[in-house]
Amino acid sequence: MKVLHVAAEIFPLVKTGGLADVVGALPQALIAQGADVRLLLPGLPAIADVVLHQKTVCEIGPAFGAARATLRLGRMPHSDVPAYVIDAPYLFRRAGSPYQASDGGEWPDNAQRFALLGWVAAHLAAGELDTGWVPDVLHAHDWHAAMACAYVAAHPPTVAATVFTVHNLAFQGLFPPGDFHLLGLPSRFMASQGLEFHGQLSFMKAGLKFADRITTVSPTYATEIATHEFGCGLDGVIRGRATALTGILNGVDGVVWNPQTDPGLPARYGRDDLAGKAVCKQALRQELGLQANAAAPLFAVVSRLTSQKGLDLVLAALPALLARGAQLALQGSGEPALEAAFTKAAQLNPGRIAVRIGYDEAWAHRLIAGADAMLVPSRFEPCGLTQLYALRYGTMPVVRRVGGLADTVVDATDDAVRRDVATGFVFEGATPAALQAAIDRAVSGFAQPPVWRQLMKRAMAQDFSWEGSAREYGQLYSKLADAKRMA
Ligand code: ADP
Ligand code: GLC
């Protein structure tokens, strides 16, 4: 089974969120199960300069406003996964975020940039760019790669089946309708049955309308996005594709996230030897200037600071958290108002709240390892990876019952604790009071060391490895490829 994964970011080269973690790990898990997987990535500097052993596959020539585009094939550093790179300097050789200029605004030519990514994917799938390797399945991730599905649909002889994974429906790749002429698609594609979305051009719709199968990153999110509340205006489109949609939970890269081997931690630890976790907590407190108070549970947040993540609820719950004697360590970046509010909270509560504005992988590991509990009060959460990392590191997740959070954390009710199945604290409403009540329960649990230790051990025993998820994707690919061949 030959599978081409198409995405705009990949850990550890380019990462703005969990998408990169998934694209870094899932192909490796599929390869371990025998699939022949390649990646297709845009030639952003952090990719084009770092992918190893690149050889030219073909010159594509002028495309989407770039005077030249060259397709190269190399291998990912560390994982050795084969990766096609689109070297189109005019469109991709830019410092900073893959999506935004340094002033925070979207790159004005994102329609061309990500149309090129989809266009190259579709032509690889049609066997036109690399005759030596033609995929059976083209798997596109999020709106950045979604145009691949429209280009394949525009070219019926293509044998490859298409899978589109929605990692986050809130980011849709919307462009002015006038950009449609840049795409080189027949005019029938600019209709409500195609890419048109309330008068605009939607790349997300290219995936939702034209992929043979749609997946999203948790079973609960798969049902949520078919509703008005979570559908971001696309719930009708999604309901129309109900039979093509499934939810497959993300996994954890067990090499990158493993407290027993993590090279960035001051001490390593495992389920049967938790002493190292106490060392991590002490070191973290020292590093962040937090008081060394054995009775104080340390809550952590590692997150993009956006309204999705519900961190305004954390701000509102802070007085109660402090009143219960707990501490907070937050690391994140995003909306300036949230950055400022958390920075101020830390200034007003030295020794009890520590805030680091910024994005740093090594910090994230130290924080997750050193904390007792992790707050993820999201308004919506397609899967969520930080709660999975927290589980592996014995850091109790405190999460809202939504999306992938609902699918991965078992609430510590009295009954669940008695049956030894509890792995965290789950609350319902997106309100400060609901979060506060969950924090209260976590603080009470922390005050009972035998209970807390049981929760930690049960959390660390959870198996969210990629193996199971990769198997589900593998089955989906096989069914799809068979159906395509029979058609
Ligand atoms: P999302 O993709 O919506 O941001 P996920 O939980 O799926 O949420 O993934 C977030 C990923 O980004 C995790 O790997 C998390 O550790 C990482 N991350 C988020 N914020 C930061 C930060 N400030 N520094 C380092 N890593 C971060
Ligand atoms: C998105 C979602 C997050 C998910 C990640 C990887 O960024 O917000 O919930 O875990 O994609 O699929």
Side-chain angles (χ1 to χ4, degrees):
M1 175 70 62
K2 295 200 209 48
V3 187
L4 180 69
H5 277 260
V6 190
E9 50 184 281
I10 183 162
F11 178 84
L13 308 187
V14 176
K15 170 166 166 176
T16 71
L19 168 65
D21 291 5
V22 173
V23 177
L26 172 59
Q28 294 185 64
L30 289 164
I31 290 170
Q33 291 172 10
D36 178 359
V37 181
R38 294 188 180 183
L39 296 154
L40 173 67
L41 305 166
L44 306 164
I47 291 173
D49 296 344
V50 175
V51 169
L52 303 171
H53 317 302
Q54 292 181 45
K55 292 204 171 60
T56 298
V57 176
C58 68
E59 294 294 343
I60 293 168
F64 297 95
R68 71 168 185 84
T70 306
L71 185 66
R72 301 193 206 287
L73 176 62
R75 290 199 173 252
M76 282 293 289
H78 315 296
S79 70
D80 213 37
V81 176
Y84 292 102
V85 177
I86 306 168
D87 180 22
Y90 188 80
L91 293 173
F92 293 136
R93 189 157 280 284
R94 297 173 193 179
S97 156
Y99 318 118
Q100 293 163 347
S102 53
D103 65 4
E106 305 290 305
W107 294 113
D109 53 356
N110 271 351
Q112 289 100 310
R113 299 170 78 231
F114 294 106
L116 176 62
L117 181 63
W119 187 92
V120 172
H123 286 75
L124 269 167
E128 290 189 335
L129 299 179
D130 185 351
T131 49
W133 193 89
V134 181
D136 303 299
V137 174
L138 184 168
H139 189 156
H141 295 270
D142 262 353
W143 75 262
H144 328 118
M147 283 301 294
C149 305
Y151 287 119
V152 169
H155 187 64
T158 307
V159 177
T162 50
V163 174
F164 177 57
T165 295
V166 178
H167 292 262
N168 194 335
L169 198 61
F171 298 102
Q172 301 186 352
L174 293 177
F175 300 99
D179 282 358
F180 181 74
H181 76 279
L182 302 169
L183 304 179
L185 280 170
S187 56
R188 65 187 153 86
F189 278 78
M190 192 54 187
S192 65
Q193 283 313 307
L195 312 188
E196 192 268 332
F197 180 66
H198 299 296
Q200 286 184 291
L201 172 61
S202 163
F203 278 25
M204 177 64 87
K205 261 189 91 183
L208 296 178
K209 279 285 184 189
F210 297 111
D212 294 315
R213 288 298 292 264
I214 303 165
T215 70
T216 187
V217 286
S218 69
T220 294
Y221 192 60
T223 55
E224 287 172 346
I225 57 176
T227 66
H228 178 67
E229 185 185 357
F230 293 99
C232 301
L234 287 164
D235 41 299
V237 175
I238 287 160
R239 285 194 296 276
R241 301 280 337 256
T243 53
L245 172 67
T246 40
I248 300 180
L249 206 59
N250 286 334
V252 173
D253 187 324
V255 174
V256 177
W257 294 95
N258 181 352
Q260 286 178 295
T261 55
D262 195 326
L265 302 186
R268 274 150 289 279
Y269 60 94
R271 199 172 165 242
D272 298 319
D273 174 16
L274 288 167
K277 186 159 172 78
V279 177
C280 292
K281 181 173 177 182
Q282 197 191 2
L284 181 68
R285 275 184 162 154
Q286 231 159 27
E287 188 181 350
L288 297 177
L290 290 169
Q291 289 162 9
N293 173 356
L298 174 54
F299 288 83
V301 171
V302 176
S303 184
R304 292 186 289 116
L305 303 182
T306 67
S307 63
Q308 171 187 346
K309 301 295 178 178
L311 296 169
D312 49 311
L313 304 178
V314 174
L315 278 172
L318 273 182
L321 184 144
L322 294 174
R324 294 294 308 257
Q327 300 177 340
L328 176 76
L330 173 142
Q331 175 181 321
S333 60
E335 288 169 15
L338 285 169
E339 290 186 357
F342 278 108
T343 305
K344 189 166 164 218
Q347 281 160 357
L348 293 174
N349 297 281
R352 307 185 66 194
I353 298 180
V355 168
R356 280 179 148 172
I357 301 301
Y359 197 99
D360 186 300
E361 283 289 325
W363 279 356
H365 284 241
R366 291 207 294 279
L367 228 138
I368 293 173
D372 297 301
M374 168 127 214
L375 301 175
V376 195
S378 305
R379 293 211 152 67
F380 67 93
E381 196 60 76
C383 177
L385 294 172
T386 52
Q387 86 281 7
L388 298 182
Y389 303 152
L391 288 168
R392 261 182 90 82
Y393 281 61
T395 305
M396 304 314 301
V398 179
V399 305
R400 183 154 175 253
R401 196 186 303 284
V402 72
L405 301 173
D407 293 339
T408 54
V409 181
V410 179
D411 188 31
T413 58
D414 290 345
D415 178 55
V417 172
R418 205 172 310 115
R419 291 187 293 120
D420 191 16
V421 293
T423 60
F425 300 88
V426 185
F427 64 97
E428 303 285 339
T431 63
L435 170 61
Q436 235 163 276
I439 290 173
D440 272 357
R441 291 199 293 131
V443 172
S444 305
F446 182 78
Q448 305 167 62
V451 172
W452 195 258
R453 204 166 314 113
Q454 176 194 318
L455 291 174
M456 283 168 80
K457 290 193 171 205
R458 181 53 53 214
M460 293 175 86
Q462 300 304 296
D463 177 14
F464 288 110
S465 65
W466 268 108
E467 214 181 306
S469 314
R471 196 153 288 127
E472 285 187 61
Y473 280 111
Q475 283 161 1
L476 182 111
Y477 297 154
S478 299
K479 266 197 228 150
L480 202 49
D482 288 350
K484 259 294 215 296
R485 268 194 292 269
M486 312 254 279

